[in-house]
Amino acid sequence: MKLISVIVPCYNEQENINDFYYELMKNEAYFKAQDVDFEILFVNDGSKDKTSDVVKELHERDNRAHLISFSRNFGKESGIYAGLQKAKGDYVVVMDCDLQDPPALLPEMYEAITKEGYDSVATRRVTRKGEPPIRSFFARMFYRLINRMSKTEIVDGARDYRLMTRQFVDAILSLEEYNRFSKGIFGWVGFNNKWIEFENVERQKGESKWSFWKLFIYALDGIMAFSTVPLAFASVMGVLFCLLAFIFIIFIIVRKLIYGDPTSGWPSLVCIISLVSGVQLFCLGIVGQYLSKTYLEVKKRPMYIVKEEV
Ligand code: UDP
Ligand code: MG
């Protein structure tokens, strides 16, 4: 018999847990027929409501439901990581508690792995209906920006809702970096991946736990975790400033030779200031380059991930 671990990060989700369980269990008959059982890991991310009590009650009724409670709110990424570490399943799926990740897609995802031979099946929402337009706008901008700056592909609208094989999960766990950005990590580890698209579903009950500000910080985390382009920014500016300074110097010398020097002192001062600040920025950029290399080293990401050896 095979086992699927369902990881559900929960933060103040007391109203959603039972509904989620009910929706998930609609798949039970299908998976029983495939000789597959469930293990559900609710990761309570320091909720201030009755989330942990609701899960404990659920555990009384069905001992396949488990609770992992954090000592405080550590964020969804930590919840996912804890779940992946504790999961015992042959397959692992990460799902939101608010039913925005439709459990009804699970059989299709399972078949893509078992019948079509994929290593992971990810989902993306193709619409953002029901979301504030300003949030959608910034989300789109973010994906365009990060995909220009990072070599790792990060798909617009991708959810963390993903079914993975054990091998894929172990690969994810081998990235032990502290600042985690799952959307990037999933792409970074590679493997054969299938995308399933669906229409956005609005949150069942309760409110989104992500304020605009929290999302903004998360977006910056994502860029910093998967790109060192911002560190090169100083170098580029430095080179521009130096070029500008040279053009200035030539211009001023020529003007001096032809017209003399009406306000003595200031042209040379401007040249010196722009040249020196250019050199400074350029040097800062060099330091940035070393910093970026150090940053990649301290993350201790594996140098490669083997999929198969014969
Ligand atoms: N979540 C969490 N810790 C947090 C914030 C959110 O575990 O600090 C969980 C939350 O309970 C939900 C999932 O992450 O199951 C997605 O959060 P939410 O639905 O609020 O985000 P949105 O769908 O609005 O992006
Ligand atoms: Mg949600």
Side-chain angles (χ1 to χ4, degrees), residues 144-248:
R144 271 174 52 188
L145 190 69
I146 196 165
N147 277 309
R148 287 206 157 174
M149 287 166 56
S150 173
K151 281 187 220 130
T152 309
E153 198 199 2
I154 293 163
V155 178
D156 187 0
R159 309 278 308 166
D160 292 330
Y161 183 20
R162 182 185 284 258
L163 183 67
M164 304 164 252
T165 58
R166 173 49 46 192
Q167 191 187 21
F168 192 92
V169 173
D170 290 341
I172 303 260
L173 288 174
S174 68
L175 272 74
E176 292 170 340
E177 59 206 67
Y178 181 81
N179 290 298
R180 296 186 81 76
F181 184 69
S182 282
K183 287 180 174 57
I185 291 175
F186 289 147
W188 191 90
V189 294
F191 292 100
N192 287 340
N193 179 42
K194 180 177 181 172
W195 286 96
I196 292 184
E197 300 184 342
F198 68 97
E199 298 268 321
N200 189 30
V201 185
E202 284 188 52
R203 173 176 255 280
Q204 188 82 351
K205 289 172 184 160
E207 283 170 7
S208 171
K209 309 298 180 293
W210 295 85
S211 62
F212 187 81
W213 184 241
K214 232 174 142 182
L215 274 175
F216 183 71
I217 302 279
Y218 184 60
L220 288 186
D221 277 351
I223 291 174
M224 287 195 283
F226 280 90
S227 169
T228 49
V229 171
L231 285 173
F233 185 68
S235 288
V236 176
M237 289 297 287
V239 170
L240 280 180
F241 263 80
C242 285
L243 274 177
L244 219 67
F246 279 119
I247 295 171
F248 255 145

Side-chain angles (χ1 to χ4, degrees), residues 9 11 13 45 73 76 96-98 100 203 208-210:
Y11 179 50
E13 299 282 9
D45 184 15
N73 181 254
K76 185 182 176 187
D96 283 4
C97 195
D98 54 2
Q100 281 192 294
R203 173 176 255 280
S208 171
K209 309 298 180 293
W210 295 85

